[in-house]
Amino acid sequence: MLVIQDVLISSDVVTEKFFCNLNACKGACCTEGDYGAPVDTAEMETIRQYMDIIVQNLPDRSKAYFESSDGFKYYDEPGVWGTDCHPDGACVFLTTGDDGIAVCGIEKTWYEKKIPFQKPISCHLYPVRISTNDIVSFEAWNYDKWDICSAACTKGEKEKMPLYKFVKDAIIRKKGKDFYDELHAAVQHMAENGSL
């Protein structure tokens, strides 16, 4: 366990190897699971603000869904707001590329430079998941191990890519470059001292 500023970071986040292999999994993390991507209030408000633009990149079933819903749902377990899912488990913001790989409709719209919001931070950080304790004001970051990501683990080993480096951009987006640099320095120090 590492402590960086106000965040408790599981050792798995820095020791495990990970590199998404979309050709193998086809973006299964967006189509399977018990609940959608966790979102906070600010993210929900931002996505709602741009829904008229985002929906243009979504398949017909999602367009029909958004005629009567805003795309979000409260999940009693684990007690978070998240994106809603179709009955087959796919995120309502999901579309699919010509290659059959799942594509986030929000992110696709962002890549097209039509909106300023990339996607929920929980998606950007995945497979790192954040849990919070508002009483003592700290976050805990853990590696969400899932068998559908086995190809990503294999590729990560091959590329020698630590998980925290794979999600570097997301960490910087969430906490800033100083936080990432502090985390990286701590990992380097631990490696030099043989404590990793």
Side-chain angles (χ1 to χ4, degrees):
M1 183 76 69
L2 287 81
V3 179
I4 306 296
Q5 297 177 18
D6 59 345
V7 178
L8 302 177
I9 301 176
S10 167
S11 58
D12 287 352
V13 172
V14 299
T15 59
E16 294 292 324
K17 305 296 187 290
F18 193 94
F19 199 118
C20 274
N21 187 343
L22 292 173
N23 289 324
C25 74
K26 305 297 184 188
C29 59
C30 300
T31 61
E32 300 181 24
D34 298 326
Y35 56 94
V39 288
D40 62 27
T41 302
E43 288 177 318
M44 287 190 285
E45 290 175 359
T46 300
I47 294 168
R48 287 181 183 123
Q49 180 181 350
Y50 296 105
M51 267 314 303
D52 289 347
I53 303 170
I54 294 167
V55 77
Q56 295 171 27
N57 274 326
L58 300 179
D60 288 344
R61 70 171 181 164
S62 289
K63 288 176 180 175
Y65 164 89
F66 280 108
E67 289 176 3
S68 59
S69 184
D70 69 352
F72 304 105
K73 175 182 177 179
Y74 185 78
Y75 295 91
D76 291 325
E77 181 62 42
V80 297
W81 279 95
T83 58
D84 202 356
C85 297
H86 290 293
D88 63 2
C91 177
V92 295
F93 291 97
L94 178 71
T95 187
T96 306
D98 294 337
D99 53 8
I101 295 175
V103 177
C104 174
I106 301 169
E107 189 168 36
K108 184 175 189 295
T109 310
W110 177 79
Y111 276 125
E112 294 170 350
K113 302 186 185 307
K114 294 177 179 176
I115 61 173
F117 180 77
Q118 184 173 357
K119 59 183 172 181
I121 193 68
S122 65
C123 300
H124 202 177
L125 272 170
Y126 197 79
V128 175
R129 281 289 193 221
I130 297 175
S131 58
T132 59
N133 186 318
D134 295 330
I135 296 173
V136 292
S137 298
F138 75 83
E139 295 178 352
W141 292 17
N142 293 289
Y143 173 25
D144 184 30
K145 296 179 183 178
W146 196 1
D147 58 358
I148 64 170
C149 293
S150 60
C153 297
T154 300
K155 186 175 181 181
E157 289 288 349
K158 182 179 178 182
E159 301 289 338
K160 297 180 172 51
M161 176 66 71
L163 173 55
Y164 84 96
K165 285 187 178 180
F166 176 74
V167 296
K168 175 181 177 179
D169 290 347
I171 292 174
I172 292 172
R173 177 183 164 203
K174 172 70 176 171
K175 301 295 285 186
K177 189 173 185 303
D178 288 347
F179 179 92
Y180 179 83
D181 289 345
E182 189 176 336
L183 170 60
H184 181 64
V187 173
Q188 294 298 105
H189 178 75
M190 292 171 68
E192 289 167 4
N193 288 287
S195 55
L196 271 185

